[in-house]
Amino acid sequence: MGLTIQSVGVRAVDGGLVLQRQSENDRVVAIAGNPNVGKSTVFNGLTGMNQHTGNWPGKTVASAQGYCKTRENAYVLVDIPGTYSLLAHSAEEEVARNFLCFGDPDAIVVVCDATCLERNLNLVLQTLEISEKVVVCVNLMDEAKRKHIRIDLNALSERLGVPVVGTTARKKGSLAHLTAALDRLTAGQTRRAPLQVAYSAPLEAAISFVEYAVRPHVANCRLSPRFLSLKLLDAEDALLEELRRYLGFDLMERPGVAAAVARSRALMEEHGITRETLKDHIVSALVRTAEAVSAACVRCERQDYAAFDRRLDRILTSRRTGYPIMLLLLALILFLTITGANYPSALLSAALFHVQDLLTQLFALLHAPDWLHGALVLGVYRVLAWVVSVMLPPMAIFFPLFTLLEDAGYLPRIAYNLDRPFQRCRACGKQALTMWVVDKRMQRYIAYCLTAACV
């Protein structure tokens, strides 16, 4: 990218994320969104080839940064992991939440799927609780039009209180409205009065009481005192630890804060809201608000536009048919990967080792010493030939097949089917997808087990 400046500090989430800047005036923009909403397509469309990839510090979660320049500003775009919620249940969700909370981006773009806007608004509402510097990008407008879904973007912007733009990220020039909205937002030309989620009366009273105690101690903090108050009541250990590192002090140790939190929790418990059920009340309020916003801004000209998807869901995610279909399909993929890879692997091995024989003859003609032949031909080349002939064919079959499943929308259904069994071992359904990326011996064992289960 031709980088000249690297910034580490308040913008370094998890204590080490290096934001790649070309100038000290570059603005940092976080690109957030649910999985499979075209978030990466928006990111790629804005940045082109000006990208830098790596991992978030201390985590095996991929990060991508890119550079985008408009007439007004230059932006460093950070493509944070796709997440359905900021109530973190996985490493990806934790990374996304921490960057939005403690990475201090100059703006946040939340990418939504126009064909299922109500579901995506959950993340939008949670983001609005953290920051008012938000642009909502309603992507896949062409798909919504094809399904006869009409979205009133102006009404949606009025309801949410932040800029809303519609895009079809795959089309060139579609993102011009998004960059223009970013320019206006970062220049302070946009009126911002973000929608505030209304919780139940006891929870609202508890939040207000804690907020009164918290506000004097976070006057210079970018995070909303209301958001901080809600998180103190929720008392999620990982988030509170990140908050201590971000603020430089423990908010609970400040005068009056601990007493206000204890009194507010007692108030909530009097109305049946315990620490175990608090998240349920939060999620319920988010869902109700998303439903109200969607009902006011989205019109479906055909009520059966999702009928085919619903029929597929009933077949692919039901207890009676979902598991047998999943086992058969995954067994088929593993069978094709293992058995199908044997033929190209044999051909590739024969070709590469024929080249080894030719190299051996060449070294003999040149009267090269045996140690040189052993190091270069029997060492470096032979090992490389084995790795390529054994690893390349299975990868060339396995990953394209899984890509087809992902594009068809079946991988999220697999995650849904396996979420409850995986939760029993303190994991989530999304982790079921990584169990298939294993070595060939384990693939044979899994294929044998799946075949036995199907028979």
PDB file of all heavy atoms in Angstrom, residues 241-273:
ATOM      1  N   GLU A 241     -13.164  -5.857  31.335  1.00  0.00           N
ATOM      2  CA  GLU A 241     -11.698  -5.824  31.316  1.00  0.00           C
ATOM      3  C   GLU A 241     -11.193  -4.928  30.185  1.00  0.00           C
ATOM      4  O   GLU A 241     -10.255  -4.145  30.362  1.00  0.00           O
ATOM      5  CB  GLU A 241     -11.154  -7.244  31.160  1.00  0.00           C
ATOM      6  CG  GLU A 241      -9.644  -7.339  31.120  1.00  0.00           C
ATOM      7  CD  GLU A 241      -8.969  -6.773  32.373  1.00  0.00           C
ATOM      8  OE1 GLU A 241      -9.558  -6.863  33.465  1.00  0.00           O
ATOM      9  OE2 GLU A 241      -7.857  -6.229  32.226  1.00  0.00           O
ATOM     10  N   GLU A 242     -11.815  -5.053  28.999  1.00  0.00           N
ATOM     11  CA  GLU A 242     -11.444  -4.167  27.888  1.00  0.00           C
ATOM     12  C   GLU A 242     -11.744  -2.712  28.241  1.00  0.00           C
ATOM     13  O   GLU A 242     -10.997  -1.796  27.888  1.00  0.00           O
ATOM     14  CB  GLU A 242     -12.210  -4.567  26.629  1.00  0.00           C
ATOM     15  CG  GLU A 242     -11.815  -5.901  26.038  1.00  0.00           C
ATOM     16  CD  GLU A 242     -10.429  -5.879  25.433  1.00  0.00           C
ATOM     17  OE1 GLU A 242      -9.921  -4.770  25.143  1.00  0.00           O
ATOM     18  OE2 GLU A 242      -9.852  -6.959  25.252  1.00  0.00           O
ATOM     19  N   LEU A 243     -12.836  -2.472  28.955  1.00  0.00           N
ATOM     20  CA  LEU A 243     -13.203  -1.115  29.348  1.00  0.00           C
ATOM     21  C   LEU A 243     -12.179  -0.530  30.311  1.00  0.00           C
ATOM     22  O   LEU A 243     -11.830   0.654  30.217  1.00  0.00           O
ATOM     23  CB  LEU A 243     -14.599  -1.120  29.983  1.00  0.00           C
ATOM     24  CG  LEU A 243     -15.169   0.233  30.407  1.00  0.00           C
ATOM     25  CD1 LEU A 243     -15.297   1.166  29.214  1.00  0.00           C
ATOM     26  CD2 LEU A 243     -16.530   0.046  31.084  1.00  0.00           C
ATOM     27  N   ARG A 244     -11.678  -1.355  31.225  1.00  0.00           N
ATOM     28  CA  ARG A 244     -10.626  -0.878  32.147  1.00  0.00           C
ATOM     29  C   ARG A 244      -9.383  -0.461  31.373  1.00  0.00           C
ATOM     30  O   ARG A 244      -8.778   0.572  31.663  1.00  0.00           O
ATOM     31  CB  ARG A 244     -10.259  -1.992  33.139  1.00  0.00           C
ATOM     32  CG  ARG A 244     -11.288  -2.260  34.215  1.00  0.00           C
ATOM     33  CD  ARG A 244     -10.739  -3.200  35.281  1.00  0.00           C
ATOM     34  NE  ARG A 244     -11.828  -3.845  35.988  1.00  0.00           N
ATOM     35  CZ  ARG A 244     -12.275  -5.057  35.741  1.00  0.00           C
ATOM     36  NH1 ARG A 244     -11.701  -5.780  34.778  1.00  0.00           N
ATOM     37  NH2 ARG A 244     -13.274  -5.561  36.426  1.00  0.00           N
ATOM     38  N   ARG A 245      -9.000  -1.270  30.400  1.00  0.00           N
ATOM     39  CA  ARG A 245      -7.797  -0.937  29.631  1.00  0.00           C
ATOM     40  C   ARG A 245      -8.014   0.319  28.798  1.00  0.00           C
ATOM     41  O   ARG A 245      -7.097   1.129  28.621  1.00  0.00           O
ATOM     42  CB  ARG A 245      -7.433  -2.111  28.719  1.00  0.00           C
ATOM     43  CG  ARG A 245      -6.809  -3.254  29.495  1.00  0.00           C
ATOM     44  CD  ARG A 245      -6.643  -4.550  28.742  1.00  0.00           C
ATOM     45  NE  ARG A 245      -6.457  -4.440  27.315  1.00  0.00           N
ATOM     46  CZ  ARG A 245      -6.376  -5.516  26.527  1.00  0.00           C
ATOM     47  NH1 ARG A 245      -6.482  -6.721  27.048  1.00  0.00           N
ATOM     48  NH2 ARG A 245      -6.215  -5.379  25.240  1.00  0.00           N
ATOM     49  N   TYR A 246      -9.206   0.485  28.289  1.00  0.00           N
ATOM     50  CA  TYR A 246      -9.510   1.647  27.444  1.00  0.00           C
ATOM     51  C   TYR A 246      -9.546   2.937  28.257  1.00  0.00           C
ATOM     52  O   TYR A 246      -8.973   3.957  27.860  1.00  0.00           O
ATOM     53  CB  TYR A 246     -10.850   1.409  26.756  1.00  0.00           C
ATOM     54  CG  TYR A 246     -11.334   2.569  25.910  1.00  0.00           C
ATOM     55  CD1 TYR A 246     -10.732   2.868  24.699  1.00  0.00           C
ATOM     56  CD2 TYR A 246     -12.403   3.352  26.329  1.00  0.00           C
ATOM     57  CE1 TYR A 246     -11.171   3.922  23.918  1.00  0.00           C
ATOM     58  CE2 TYR A 246     -12.858   4.408  25.551  1.00  0.00           C
ATOM     59  CZ  TYR A 246     -12.240   4.691  24.351  1.00  0.00           C
ATOM     60  OH  TYR A 246     -12.681   5.736  23.589  1.00  0.00           O
ATOM     61  N   LEU A 247     -10.209   2.908  29.416  1.00  0.00           N
ATOM     62  CA  LEU A 247     -10.346   4.109  30.246  1.00  0.00           C
ATOM     63  C   LEU A 247      -9.088   4.393  31.063  1.00  0.00           C
ATOM     64  O   LEU A 247      -8.813   5.548  31.403  1.00  0.00           O
ATOM     65  CB  LEU A 247     -11.540   3.967  31.191  1.00  0.00           C
ATOM     66  CG  LEU A 247     -12.930   3.885  30.545  1.00  0.00           C
ATOM     67  CD1 LEU A 247     -13.991   3.655  31.616  1.00  0.00           C
ATOM     68  CD2 LEU A 247     -13.243   5.159  29.771  1.00  0.00           C
ATOM     69  N   GLY A 248      -8.353   3.326  31.401  1.00  0.00           N
ATOM     70  CA  GLY A 248      -7.186   3.506  32.263  1.00  0.00           C
ATOM     71  C   GLY A 248      -7.531   3.429  33.735  1.00  0.00           C
ATOM     72  O   GLY A 248      -6.654   3.636  34.586  1.00  0.00           O
ATOM     73  N   PHE A 249      -8.775   3.119  34.051  1.00  0.00           N
ATOM     74  CA  PHE A 249      -9.187   2.954  35.453  1.00  0.00           C
ATOM     75  C   PHE A 249     -10.421   2.062  35.493  1.00  0.00           C
ATOM     76  O   PHE A 249     -11.080   1.841  34.466  1.00  0.00           O
ATOM     77  CB  PHE A 249      -9.478   4.304  36.114  1.00  0.00           C
ATOM     78  CG  PHE A 249     -10.567   5.100  35.437  1.00  0.00           C
ATOM     79  CD1 PHE A 249     -11.914   4.900  35.742  1.00  0.00           C
ATOM     80  CD2 PHE A 249     -10.247   6.069  34.494  1.00  0.00           C
ATOM     81  CE1 PHE A 249     -12.907   5.629  35.120  1.00  0.00           C
ATOM     82  CE2 PHE A 249     -11.241   6.805  33.861  1.00  0.00           C
ATOM     83  CZ  PHE A 249     -12.574   6.590  34.169  1.00  0.00           C
ATOM     84  N   ASP A 250     -10.719   1.536  36.671  1.00  0.00           N
ATOM     85  CA  ASP A 250     -11.879   0.689  36.870  1.00  0.00           C
ATOM     86  C   ASP A 250     -13.071   1.568  37.204  1.00  0.00           C
ATOM     87  O   ASP A 250     -13.108   2.200  38.257  1.00  0.00           O
ATOM     88  CB  ASP A 250     -11.618  -0.325  37.990  1.00  0.00           C
ATOM     89  CG  ASP A 250     -12.704  -1.389  38.074  1.00  0.00           C
ATOM     90  OD1 ASP A 250     -13.797  -1.160  37.509  1.00  0.00           O
ATOM     91  OD2 ASP A 250     -12.476  -2.433  38.700  1.00  0.00           O
ATOM     92  N   LEU A 251     -14.034   1.607  36.319  1.00  0.00           N
ATOM     93  CA  LEU A 251     -15.194   2.479  36.512  1.00  0.00           C
ATOM     94  C   LEU A 251     -15.974   2.104  37.773  1.00  0.00           C
ATOM     95  O   LEU A 251     -16.545   2.972  38.440  1.00  0.00           O
ATOM     96  CB  LEU A 251     -16.098   2.397  35.280  1.00  0.00           C
ATOM     97  CG  LEU A 251     -17.202   3.454  35.127  1.00  0.00           C
ATOM     98  CD1 LEU A 251     -16.620   4.864  35.195  1.00  0.00           C
ATOM     99  CD2 LEU A 251     -17.952   3.249  33.819  1.00  0.00           C
ATOM    100  N   MET A 252     -15.988   0.816  38.112  1.00  0.00           N
ATOM    101  CA  MET A 252     -16.732   0.375  39.287  1.00  0.00           C
ATOM    102  C   MET A 252     -16.106   0.876  40.595  1.00  0.00           C
ATOM    103  O   MET A 252     -16.767   0.894  41.631  1.00  0.00           O
ATOM    104  CB  MET A 252     -16.805  -1.155  39.311  1.00  0.00           C
ATOM    105  CG  MET A 252     -17.723  -1.747  38.258  1.00  0.00           C
ATOM    106  SD  MET A 252     -19.465  -1.364  38.567  1.00  0.00           S
ATOM    107  CE  MET A 252     -19.801  -2.441  39.955  1.00  0.00           C
ATOM    108  N   GLU A 253     -14.841   1.284  40.545  1.00  0.00           N
ATOM    109  CA  GLU A 253     -14.175   1.781  41.748  1.00  0.00           C
ATOM    110  C   GLU A 253     -14.333   3.285  41.938  1.00  0.00           C
ATOM    111  O   GLU A 253     -13.884   3.837  42.946  1.00  0.00           O
ATOM    112  CB  GLU A 253     -12.688   1.421  41.701  1.00  0.00           C
ATOM    113  CG  GLU A 253     -12.419  -0.087  41.757  1.00  0.00           C
ATOM    114  CD  GLU A 253     -10.949  -0.410  41.680  1.00  0.00           C
ATOM    115  OE1 GLU A 253     -10.144   0.545  41.488  1.00  0.00           O
ATOM    116  OE2 GLU A 253     -10.585  -1.600  41.815  1.00  0.00           O
ATOM    117  N   ARG A 254     -14.964   3.948  40.976  1.00  0.00           N
ATOM    118  CA  ARG A 254     -15.183   5.381  41.094  1.00  0.00           C
ATOM    119  C   ARG A 254     -16.310   5.652  42.099  1.00  0.00           C
ATOM    120  O   ARG A 254     -17.233   4.843  42.253  1.00  0.00           O
ATOM    121  CB  ARG A 254     -15.537   5.975  39.734  1.00  0.00           C
ATOM    122  CG  ARG A 254     -14.382   5.909  38.746  1.00  0.00           C
ATOM    123  CD  ARG A 254     -13.268   6.849  39.141  1.00  0.00           C
ATOM    124  NE  ARG A 254     -12.014   6.550  38.468  1.00  0.00           N
ATOM    125  CZ  ARG A 254     -11.010   7.407  38.346  1.00  0.00           C
ATOM    126  NH1 ARG A 254     -11.122   8.620  38.865  1.00  0.00           N
ATOM    127  NH2 ARG A 254      -9.896   7.054  37.744  1.00  0.00           N
ATOM    128  N   PRO A 255     -16.236   6.798  42.788  1.00  0.00           N
ATOM    129  CA  PRO A 255     -17.221   7.089  43.843  1.00  0.00           C
ATOM    130  C   PRO A 255     -18.656   7.039  43.335  1.00  0.00           C
ATOM    131  O   PRO A 255     -19.002   7.663  42.331  1.00  0.00           O
ATOM    132  CB  PRO A 255     -16.835   8.504  44.292  1.00  0.00           C
ATOM    133  CG  PRO A 255     -15.408   8.649  43.931  1.00  0.00           C
ATOM    134  CD  PRO A 255     -15.215   7.849  42.682  1.00  0.00           C
ATOM    135  N   GLY A 256     -19.481   6.288  44.023  1.00  0.00           N
ATOM    136  CA  GLY A 256     -20.901   6.244  43.741  1.00  0.00           C
ATOM    137  C   GLY A 256     -21.333   5.255  42.677  1.00  0.00           C
ATOM    138  O   GLY A 256     -22.517   4.905  42.605  1.00  0.00           O
ATOM    139  N   VAL A 257     -20.401   4.763  41.840  1.00  0.00           N
ATOM    140  CA  VAL A 257     -20.788   3.901  40.726  1.00  0.00           C
ATOM    141  C   VAL A 257     -21.206   2.524  41.226  1.00  0.00           C
ATOM    142  O   VAL A 257     -22.273   2.008  40.856  1.00  0.00           O
ATOM    143  CB  VAL A 257     -19.648   3.794  39.696  1.00  0.00           C
ATOM    144  CG1 VAL A 257     -20.012   2.782  38.603  1.00  0.00           C
ATOM    145  CG2 VAL A 257     -19.353   5.152  39.078  1.00  0.00           C
ATOM    146  N   ALA A 258     -20.383   1.892  42.062  1.00  0.00           N
ATOM    147  CA  ALA A 258     -20.701   0.553  42.555  1.00  0.00           C
ATOM    148  C   ALA A 258     -22.015   0.550  43.332  1.00  0.00           C
ATOM    149  O   ALA A 258     -22.844  -0.365  43.188  1.00  0.00           O
ATOM    150  CB  ALA A 258     -19.564   0.023  43.426  1.00  0.00           C
ATOM    151  N   ALA A 259     -22.231   1.581  44.139  1.00  0.00           N
ATOM    152  CA  ALA A 259     -23.478   1.663  44.911  1.00  0.00           C
ATOM    153  C   ALA A 259     -24.681   1.821  43.980  1.00  0.00           C
ATOM    154  O   ALA A 259     -25.735   1.207  44.203  1.00  0.00           O
ATOM    155  CB  ALA A 259     -23.402   2.831  45.895  1.00  0.00           C
ATOM    156  N   ALA A 260     -24.528   2.631  42.926  1.00  0.00           N
ATOM    157  CA  ALA A 260     -25.629   2.824  41.979  1.00  0.00           C
ATOM    158  C   ALA A 260     -25.938   1.535  41.233  1.00  0.00           C
ATOM    159  O   ALA A 260     -27.107   1.201  41.006  1.00  0.00           O
ATOM    160  CB  ALA A 260     -25.264   3.934  40.995  1.00  0.00           C
ATOM    161  N   VAL A 261     -24.898   0.781  40.856  1.00  0.00           N
ATOM    162  CA  VAL A 261     -25.117  -0.493  40.159  1.00  0.00           C
ATOM    163  C   VAL A 261     -25.825  -1.482  41.085  1.00  0.00           C
ATOM    164  O   VAL A 261     -26.770  -2.161  40.671  1.00  0.00           O
ATOM    165  CB  VAL A 261     -23.775  -1.057  39.657  1.00  0.00           C
ATOM    166  CG1 VAL A 261     -23.955  -2.484  39.139  1.00  0.00           C
ATOM    167  CG2 VAL A 261     -23.188  -0.178  38.562  1.00  0.00           C
ATOM    168  N   ALA A 262     -25.371  -1.567  42.341  1.00  0.00           N
ATOM    169  CA  ALA A 262     -25.996  -2.502  43.282  1.00  0.00           C
ATOM    170  C   ALA A 262     -27.455  -2.141  43.530  1.00  0.00           C
ATOM    171  O   ALA A 262     -28.334  -3.023  43.562  1.00  0.00           O
ATOM    172  CB  ALA A 262     -25.214  -2.493  44.598  1.00  0.00           C
ATOM    173  N   ARG A 263     -27.737  -0.863  43.679  1.00  0.00           N
ATOM    174  CA  ARG A 263     -29.117  -0.439  43.921  1.00  0.00           C
ATOM    175  C   ARG A 263     -29.983  -0.699  42.685  1.00  0.00           C
ATOM    176  O   ARG A 263     -31.152  -1.109  42.802  1.00  0.00           O
ATOM    177  CB  ARG A 263     -29.139   1.044  44.277  1.00  0.00           C
ATOM    178  CG  ARG A 263     -30.518   1.566  44.665  1.00  0.00           C
ATOM    179  CD  ARG A 263     -30.433   2.979  45.172  1.00  0.00           C
ATOM    180  NE  ARG A 263     -31.776   3.524  45.405  1.00  0.00           N
ATOM    181  CZ  ARG A 263     -32.021   4.767  45.812  1.00  0.00           C
ATOM    182  NH1 ARG A 263     -31.008   5.591  46.052  1.00  0.00           N
ATOM    183  NH2 ARG A 263     -33.254   5.182  45.998  1.00  0.00           N
ATOM    184  N   SER A 264     -29.444  -0.468  41.506  1.00  0.00           N
ATOM    185  CA  SER A 264     -30.203  -0.700  40.268  1.00  0.00           C
ATOM    186  C   SER A 264     -30.494  -2.182  40.071  1.00  0.00           C
ATOM    187  O   SER A 264     -31.589  -2.554  39.628  1.00  0.00           O
ATOM    188  CB  SER A 264     -29.427  -0.147  39.072  1.00  0.00           C
ATOM    189  OG  SER A 264     -29.289   1.252  39.166  1.00  0.00           O
ATOM    190  N   ARG A 265     -29.532  -3.045  40.390  1.00  0.00           N
ATOM    191  CA  ARG A 265     -29.772  -4.479  40.274  1.00  0.00           C
ATOM    192  C   ARG A 265     -30.860  -4.931  41.253  1.00  0.00           C
ATOM    193  O   ARG A 265     -31.697  -5.787  40.922  1.00  0.00           O
ATOM    194  CB  ARG A 265     -28.473  -5.244  40.531  1.00  0.00           C
ATOM    195  CG  ARG A 265     -27.492  -5.179  39.362  1.00  0.00           C
ATOM    196  CD  ARG A 265     -26.194  -5.862  39.680  1.00  0.00           C
ATOM    197  NE  ARG A 265     -25.262  -5.788  38.548  1.00  0.00           N
ATOM    198  CZ  ARG A 265     -23.965  -6.044  38.643  1.00  0.00           C
ATOM    199  NH1 ARG A 265     -23.429  -6.373  39.825  1.00  0.00           N
ATOM    200  NH2 ARG A 265     -23.201  -5.955  37.580  1.00  0.00           N
ATOM    201  N   ALA A 266     -30.842  -4.355  42.444  1.00  0.00           N
ATOM    202  CA  ALA A 266     -31.892  -4.691  43.410  1.00  0.00           C
ATOM    203  C   ALA A 266     -33.261  -4.245  42.894  1.00  0.00           C
ATOM    204  O   ALA A 266     -34.260  -4.971  43.041  1.00  0.00           O
ATOM    205  CB  ALA A 266     -31.583  -4.030  44.756  1.00  0.00           C
ATOM    206  N   LEU A 267     -33.287  -3.068  42.245  1.00  0.00           N
ATOM    207  CA  LEU A 267     -34.538  -2.575  41.661  1.00  0.00           C
ATOM    208  C   LEU A 267     -35.031  -3.512  40.566  1.00  0.00           C
ATOM    209  O   LEU A 267     -36.225  -3.827  40.483  1.00  0.00           O
ATOM    210  CB  LEU A 267     -34.329  -1.164  41.109  1.00  0.00           C
ATOM    211  CG  LEU A 267     -35.493  -0.558  40.308  1.00  0.00           C
ATOM    212  CD1 LEU A 267     -36.711  -0.362  41.201  1.00  0.00           C
ATOM    213  CD2 LEU A 267     -35.068   0.777  39.675  1.00  0.00           C
ATOM    214  N   MET A 268     -34.124  -3.974  39.705  1.00  0.00           N
ATOM    215  CA  MET A 268     -34.520  -4.882  38.632  1.00  0.00           C
ATOM    216  C   MET A 268     -35.012  -6.218  39.178  1.00  0.00           C
ATOM    217  O   MET A 268     -35.996  -6.772  38.683  1.00  0.00           O
ATOM    218  CB  MET A 268     -33.335  -5.102  37.673  1.00  0.00           C
ATOM    219  CG  MET A 268     -32.966  -3.872  36.845  1.00  0.00           C
ATOM    220  SD  MET A 268     -31.782  -4.241  35.520  1.00  0.00           S
ATOM    221  CE  MET A 268     -30.399  -4.898  36.440  1.00  0.00           C
ATOM    222  N   GLU A 269     -34.348  -6.724  40.195  1.00  0.00           N
ATOM    223  CA  GLU A 269     -34.754  -8.008  40.766  1.00  0.00           C
ATOM    224  C   GLU A 269     -36.138  -7.926  41.396  1.00  0.00           C
ATOM    225  O   GLU A 269     -36.883  -8.907  41.409  1.00  0.00           O
ATOM    226  CB  GLU A 269     -33.722  -8.472  41.786  1.00  0.00           C
ATOM    227  CG  GLU A 269     -32.408  -8.932  41.144  1.00  0.00           C
ATOM    228  CD  GLU A 269     -31.378  -9.364  42.170  1.00  0.00           C
ATOM    229  OE1 GLU A 269     -31.697  -9.307  43.382  1.00  0.00           O
ATOM    230  OE2 GLU A 269     -30.263  -9.757  41.763  1.00  0.00           O
ATOM    231  N   GLU A 270     -36.492  -6.744  41.907  1.00  0.00           N
ATOM    232  CA  GLU A 270     -37.844  -6.571  42.451  1.00  0.00           C
ATOM    233  C   GLU A 270     -38.904  -6.734  41.371  1.00  0.00           C
ATOM    234  O   GLU A 270     -40.051  -7.106  41.661  1.00  0.00           O
ATOM    235  CB  GLU A 270     -37.975  -5.181  43.088  1.00  0.00           C
ATOM    236  CG  GLU A 270     -37.169  -5.014  44.371  1.00  0.00           C
ATOM    237  CD  GLU A 270     -37.283  -3.604  44.916  1.00  0.00           C
ATOM    238  OE1 GLU A 270     -38.037  -2.799  44.321  1.00  0.00           O
ATOM    239  OE2 GLU A 270     -36.622  -3.300  45.923  1.00  0.00           O
ATOM    240  N   HIS A 271     -38.511  -6.466  40.126  1.00  0.00           N
ATOM    241  CA  HIS A 271     -39.452  -6.594  38.998  1.00  0.00           C
ATOM    242  C   HIS A 271     -39.166  -7.852  38.173  1.00  0.00           C
ATOM    243  O   HIS A 271     -39.586  -7.954  37.015  1.00  0.00           O
ATOM    244  CB  HIS A 271     -39.363  -5.355  38.101  1.00  0.00           C
ATOM    245  CG  HIS A 271     -39.880  -4.105  38.747  1.00  0.00           C
ATOM    246  ND1 HIS A 271     -39.122  -3.344  39.609  1.00  0.00           N
ATOM    247  CD2 HIS A 271     -41.100  -3.500  38.675  1.00  0.00           C
ATOM    248  CE1 HIS A 271     -39.834  -2.308  40.021  1.00  0.00           C
ATOM    249  NE2 HIS A 271     -41.033  -2.377  39.466  1.00  0.00           N
ATOM    250  N   GLY A 272     -38.415  -8.783  38.734  1.00  0.00           N
ATOM    251  CA  GLY A 272     -38.196 -10.072  38.080  1.00  0.00           C
ATOM    252  C   GLY A 272     -37.098 -10.098  37.040  1.00  0.00           C
ATOM    253  O   GLY A 272     -37.015 -11.051  36.260  1.00  0.00           O
ATOM    254  N   ILE A 273     -36.250  -9.058  36.996  1.00  0.00           N
ATOM    255  CA  ILE A 273     -35.142  -9.034  36.036  1.00  0.00           C
ATOM    256  C   ILE A 273     -33.861  -9.390  36.777  1.00  0.00           C
ATOM    257  O   ILE A 273     -33.306  -8.571  37.518  1.00  0.00           O
ATOM    258  CB  ILE A 273     -34.997  -7.655  35.366  1.00  0.00           C
ATOM    259  CG1 ILE A 273     -36.306  -7.234  34.702  1.00  0.00           C
ATOM    260  CG2 ILE A 273     -33.873  -7.689  34.324  1.00  0.00           C
ATOM    261  CD1 ILE A 273     -36.259  -5.841  34.100  1.00  0.00           C
TER     262      ILE A 273
END
